[in-house]
Amino acid sequence: MGENDQKTIEPPLTELPIAVSEDGFYSGFSKHVALPSKIIVSLLIIWAIAFPLNAGEVLGVANATLIQMFSGWYIWLVGGFLALSVVLALLPVSGRLKLGQADDVPEFSRFSWFAMMFGAGLGIGMLTYSTGEPLAHLQNNPVIIAGEATALTEGAVRSAYLYSFLHWGFSAWAIYALAGLSIGYVAYRRGLPLTIRSGLAPLFGRHLTGLPGHLVDIVAVVATILGISVTLGLGVEQFVHGLHRIGLGEWLLAEDASASTAAIIVALIVIVGASTLSALSGVGRGIKWLSNLNLILSFVLFAAFIVAGSALLSLEIFGRGLFDYIVSLPALSFGGASSDGTSIGDAVAQWQLDWTVFYWAWWIAFAPFVGMFIARVSKGRTVREYILGVVLAPALMCFVWLALIGGTAVDLVLSGAGQGEIIGTVISDQLYATIAALMSPGLAYGFSILVVVLLLTYVITSADSAILVVNTINAGGNSEDHGRRHIIFWGVAIALVVGSLLVVGGLGAIRTAMIIGALPFSFVSALLAIAVVKAIWRDTIRMRHGVDCTSGADGDG
């Protein structure tokens, strides 16, 4: 290669200045991001509290319209994310690249790394849906709708787990992995700020220092707040049912068996107060130790189900479910159902909207938060180690959890031992009902307390991680200066969003708001995936020609 050829290959962009205030209340923060984000979230809170009926109606109409229009987009987008993750991990040229400089080593051990990823990403959902999802699909799923299996029979177990694994499997974690990879790649290799807009730098370069970058970060903040609100909403409901199970009073539940308004307020004060205190302590202290604690408590609960639960059936469910899932994954990833005018076709299409499309929207809304958080704790790992660690390990843990905890509940239901007590209660209470049907009253009481504590650690870990991520985005990628007053603001804001929407319309209202908020970020997610592919491709060319791709004079993407 000649000297003139080498000069045509520019080094990557290594500076993306984001203007922040130098003094006052917003010192160290970007007013262009922080203020609009706070205004949007505050208006949502005011609307939900002051005009609850109007808020419920508008959210319902918007949800029905958007989820119908963009269902195919969500299905194909998430399928594409999974396929791209596999390619990037398997290709030697991309897999060996490191998120960082050549001599960088991981900050956290693999145990702490995995614990923080699992706790921030899916911990709360797993406690609610470990029993709730298999039992729901045991009663209704596309195979049952098509008449190929009968609800609440052994013949429905296999299809119930196929769809349970789909929703909690590799696809969900591929969404997180690509979001985090796009941010971590340019942050640790090129020194760009640890924020969402930086992930798009390989596509848009210095244009992201202005309005386009501000808009991207604002969309990410709002999506994060709405995504974490769904998770906290689930956590609050299950936390309240746990308190009721251990005898703290009938005042905790309303007439419809949902959490009462008073219980929601008390639970949010406890949960968000603890989360805010943990966020103030930073990632290396509060979040790390809480993540390790909740993983240890998870193993204790897991071990109890191995001893007392349906371990052999669960092992069979895991094996068959994993086989069915892997074989069916390509078709399920790119096979969107559509209404065809028949009762079966319409019912399958509606089921996919209610379940699969909802989940993909939920994971996408969570992507800026979980993606940035995973990027924050993944410096020094190779692309292959990162993708395998983020996509495979937590997903397999979810499968084992669903098979053992959910399989025990399924066995109790099919045998008749827990038919009324488990199926007959709300999803937030089904894990406690399973424990009550499985163990003696004394043991059940003790393990119900353990679940309450475990749930609290997961809720706190998710909330404090979200608060820190939002603060980091608002601070232009600076994760060191915590901004105590702003952490407190976002803690209160999250509590008010969750509380107001729970009171307005329960978990349905929070889910609806999240799906609407996830749509704009789904387009950002697609651009992030394209950007990281371009960044890796350009870096392989640079390395081939001896051009520095981790530092040097500013160039292109």
Side-chain angles (χ1 to χ4, degrees):
M1 185 186 72
E3 183 179 347
N4 291 335
D5 294 329
Q6 185 168 350
K7 289 181 179 178
T8 63
I9 302 174
E10 297 181 346
L13 180 69
T14 56
E15 290 186 6
L16 188 66
I18 301 173
V20 296
S21 299
E22 296 183 359
D23 52 32
F25 182 77
Y26 283 95
S27 176
F29 286 79
S30 171
K31 289 183 180 179
H32 301 293
V33 177
L35 272 174
S37 301
K38 289 180 177 179
I39 290 171
I40 292 171
V41 172
S42 298
L43 288 176
L44 174 63
I45 294 168
I46 293 169
W47 181 41
I49 293 175
F51 306 101
L53 293 178
N54 177 261
E57 291 175 0
V58 171
L59 287 173
V61 172
N63 175 57
T65 303
L66 290 176
I67 205 167
Q68 287 279 0
M69 290 177 60
F70 291 96
S71 59
W73 162 250
Y74 281 122
I75 297 293
W76 280 86
L77 179 65
V78 174
F81 286 162
L82 180 57
L84 179 57
S85 297
V86 172
V87 171
L88 291 176
L90 295 182
L91 285 179
V93 69
S94 56
R96 64 172 175 258
L97 294 174
K98 182 178 283 190
L99 301 186
Q101 308 300 312
D103 57 349
D104 283 340
V105 295
E107 179 182 359
F108 302 100
S109 68
R110 280 198 175 95
F111 180 86
S112 292
W113 183 51
F114 173 73
M116 287 189 283
M117 283 193 300
F118 190 78
L122 290 178
I124 300 171
M126 271 287 86
L127 284 177
T128 300
Y129 285 100
S130 58
T131 53
E133 178 125 4
L135 291 175
H137 298 332
L138 190 68
Q139 299 172 77
N140 188 42
N141 68 57
V143 175
I144 294 173
I145 293 170
E148 299 173 13
T150 303
L152 293 173
T153 66
E154 291 184 9
V157 173
R158 200 160 179 171
S159 57
Y161 270 89
L162 170 63
Y163 291 105
S164 296
F165 282 11
L166 171 66
H167 297 150
W168 294 88
F170 304 144
S171 300
W173 287 95
I175 297 170
Y176 299 156
L178 284 180
L181 180 63
S182 63
I183 299 163
Y185 191 88
V186 296
Y188 299 133
R189 290 180 65 84
R190 304 180 179 182
L192 299 187
L194 189 71
T195 188
I196 302 297
R197 74 174 79 185
S198 295
L200 298 176
L203 292 179
F204 303 110
R206 292 182 183 82
H207 295 292
L208 293 167
T209 61
L211 181 61
H214 301 330
L215 291 176
V216 167
D217 283 346
I218 291 168
V219 167
V221 169
V222 174
T224 297
I225 295 300
L226 294 177
I228 193 63
S229 294
V230 172
T231 300
L232 287 185
L234 290 171
V236 165
E237 287 280 350
Q238 196 169 23
F239 181 67
V240 169
H241 277 91
L243 296 179
H244 180 261
R245 281 274 176 179
I246 61 178
L248 267 66
E250 296 299 323
W251 64 274
L252 292 162
L253 301 182
E255 292 182 3
D256 61 355
S258 64
S260 67
T261 301
I264 291 171
I265 294 171
V266 171
L268 284 172
I269 291 173
V270 172
I271 291 169
V272 179
S275 303
T276 304
L277 291 174
S278 179
L280 289 169
S281 71
V283 174
R285 297 177 62 191
I287 295 177
K288 174 184 174 181
W289 289 111
L290 275 173
S291 297
N292 290 343
L293 174 61
N294 58 37
L295 196 60
I296 291 169
L297 290 177
S298 297
F299 281 130
V300 172
L301 180 63
F302 189 79
F305 270 82
I306 289 178
V307 174
S310 307
L312 291 178
L313 175 63
S314 300
L315 185 62
E316 180 183 345
I317 286 174
F318 175 79
R320 285 184 177 177
L322 185 59
F323 174 81
D324 291 344
Y325 170 65
I326 292 174
V327 169
S328 305
L329 187 56
L332 292 174
S333 296
F334 298 101
S338 58
S339 299
D340 58 7
T342 66
S343 59
I344 292 177
D346 291 351
V348 170
Q350 187 59 51
W351 184 93
Q352 187 179 67
L353 293 176
D354 293 339
W355 284 96
T356 307
V357 176
F358 159 70
Y359 270 116
W360 294 169
W362 187 8
W363 303 153
I364 288 170
F366 238 42
F369 148 47
V370 179
M372 268 194 64
F373 184 77
I374 293 174
R376 167 66 182 82
V377 298
S378 299
K379 182 179 181 181
R381 302 189 185 275
T382 65
V383 170
R384 179 175 296 112
E385 180 186 15
Y386 170 88
I387 290 178
L388 293 178
V390 175
V391 175
L392 288 183
L396 289 173
M397 182 63 185
C398 288
F399 296 160
V400 172
W401 193 264
L402 283 163
L404 180 61
I405 310 296
T408 298
V410 166
D411 192 25
L412 289 169
V413 168
L414 294 180
S415 68
Q419 183 88 28
E421 293 81 1
I422 299 174
I423 290 289
T425 190
V426 296
I427 190 171
S428 299
D429 192 42
Q430 285 179 338
L431 177 56
Y432 300 111
T434 300
I435 292 172
L438 185 67
M439 302 177 182
S440 65
L443 275 177
Y445 184 83
F447 274 95
S448 293
I449 293 175
L450 183 145
V451 171
V452 170
V453 175
L454 175 59
L455 180 70
L456 193 59
T457 63
Y458 272 131
V459 172
I460 293 171
T461 303
S462 294
D464 60 15
S465 302
I467 292 169
L468 282 179
V469 165
V470 166
N471 231 30
T472 299
I473 297 173
N474 287 331
N478 179 12
S479 60
E480 300 302 324
D481 183 8
H482 303 308
R484 302 177 67 86
R485 292 171 294 184
H486 301 279
I487 286 176
I488 293 170
F489 172 87
W490 286 113
V492 173
I494 289 172
L496 289 175
V497 169
V498 174
S500 61
L501 290 176
L502 275 177
V503 172
V504 166
L507 289 175
I510 300 180
R511 287 170 52 146
T512 299
M514 179 275 300
I515 290 172
I516 296 169
L519 182 60
F521 194 77
S522 69
F523 298 104
V524 175
S525 295
L527 291 173
L528 287 171
I530 296 170
V532 76
V533 170
K534 181 186 177 185
I536 291 173
W537 172 62
R538 295 283 290 174
D539 279 356
T540 59
I541 295 175
R542 292 183 180 107
M543 288 187 295
R544 212 164 44 234
H545 293 292
V547 177
D548 190 358
C549 58
T550 58
S551 62
D554 274 351
D556 61 5

